[in-house]
Amino acid sequence: MFLSVDVGNTQTTFGLIDEAGSVACHWRTKTDKLDTADELAVRLTGLLAGQGFSMDSVDAVAVASVVPALQRAWHVCLMRLGKDPLMVGAQGPCPIEVALAYPSQVGADRIANAVEAKERYGAPAIVVDFGTATNIDVVAPDGSFVGGVIAPGVMLGAQALFDRASKLSSTPIAMPPRVVGRDSEQALQSGIVIGAAAMAEGLVARIKAELGVGECPVVATGGLARTVSEATDCFTAVDPDLTLRGIHRIWLAQV
């Protein structure tokens, strides 16, 4: 089995990938920038054991991290567990051209998204990743990764509102029955969920126009992808495991 580790600013996602390239098992935990290598090792081995696996089940590992403070900790953790991980970035062989002025500044998760979108859905393609930030990653018609959009994430905006309006803080993030909320909870859900969908629709339309393409695959991924997808028909696919498989595909290009 192959282990993909996607270290985000808010959550860290793990996926065990089988020989067919499918995610057989995955976990999502809170990212703590103060974690040590020992703490990461305890957490990882515990997650594996909970599903009947161990590090002996893992043949290779790759880590895509957007948290610089955890980059070394993850490398040390995995080396202590007997695995020499690939730390994903724009450097080294990559199955996509990163056609940006400063490739080293691009988040590893965004590169993984573009790689997997191109492979699975073709080019051009657009990925909307609902994470701490809402990232929109663009694969051009020629198959290169040409950048995209970084906007405040759904939960980041919601939390800012919750912090300043305590009566709203218990509202679940879910698709409301209508755009015009009949109470405060529905109104907030409309603003958060339908608002995120409307932003995605508008940006995707502008990106298509800028690329000069009529239709192309638009893939939603990230923790809130399924919820936001209920509010729009602009997505051709919802693919929660896109980033994990992309990390694996980048590793395959370097072995």
Side-chain angles (χ1 to χ4, degrees):
M1 303 283 275
F2 178 87
L3 178 64
S4 284
V5 184
D6 176 21
V7 185
N9 285 296
T10 304
Q11 295 183 331
T12 297
T13 309
F14 307 84
L16 278 178
I17 299 179
D18 60 25
E19 292 182 359
S22 299
V23 177
C25 192
H26 70 270
W27 305 266
R28 190 181 292 272
T29 66
K30 181 180 178 180
T31 298
D32 187 340
K33 297 178 176 64
L34 298 179
D35 273 343
T36 65
D38 291 335
E39 289 169 322
L40 294 174
V42 169
R43 185 172 303 125
L44 175 56
T45 54
L47 291 171
L48 290 169
Q51 295 294 325
F53 298 101
S54 70
M55 287 306 293
D56 291 337
S57 311
V58 176
D59 301 310
V61 186
V63 179
S65 174
V66 297
V67 185
L70 290 175
Q71 191 90 355
R72 174 169 170 76
W74 268 110
H75 188 268
V76 171
C77 158
L78 290 162
M79 290 296 288
R80 287 179 180 172
L81 293 174
K83 308 297 175 184
D84 186 0
L86 169 68
M87 307 304 289
V88 173
Q91 298 79 18
C94 185
I96 196 168
E97 177 189 358
V98 182
L100 298 173
Y102 304 101
S104 62
Q105 296 180 0
V106 181
D109 56 338
R110 300 186 64 199
I111 297 172
N113 285 344
V115 165
E116 186 62 16
K118 176 184 176 183
E119 178 65 27
R120 177 155 295 209
Y121 301 100
I126 300 169
V127 178
V128 185
D129 188 345
F130 295 98
T132 304
T134 295
N135 292 331
I136 303 183
D137 305 314
V138 181
V139 179
D142 67 0
S144 61
F145 172 40
V146 293
V149 176
I150 302 175
V154 177
M155 287 307 302
L156 195 63
Q159 192 59 55
L161 183 57
F162 294 160
D163 289 345
R164 289 162 177 78
S166 56
K167 286 186 177 180
L168 303 177
S169 60
S170 61
T171 301
I173 306 301
M175 175 65 184
R178 56 185 65 84
V179 177
V180 180
R182 302 298 173 84
D183 55 35
S184 294
E185 180 175 286
Q186 289 182 5
L188 183 63
Q189 290 171 335
S190 180
I192 293 173
V193 178
I194 300 179
M199 182 186 73
E201 290 170 349
L203 288 170
V204 165
R206 288 172 179 250
I207 289 168
K208 288 179 179 178
E210 195 166 291
L211 291 178
V213 300
E215 293 300 325
C216 72
V218 181
V219 185
T221 192
L224 284 173
R226 292 197 186 280
T227 301
V228 177
S229 70
E230 295 178 25
T232 179
D233 59 2
C234 82
F235 301 128
T236 53
V238 178
D239 191 342
D241 295 328
L242 184 83
T243 312
L244 294 174
R245 295 197 316 273
I247 294 169
H248 178 226
R249 203 172 294 280
I250 290 171
W251 176 83
L252 287 173
Q254 301 198 26
V255 297

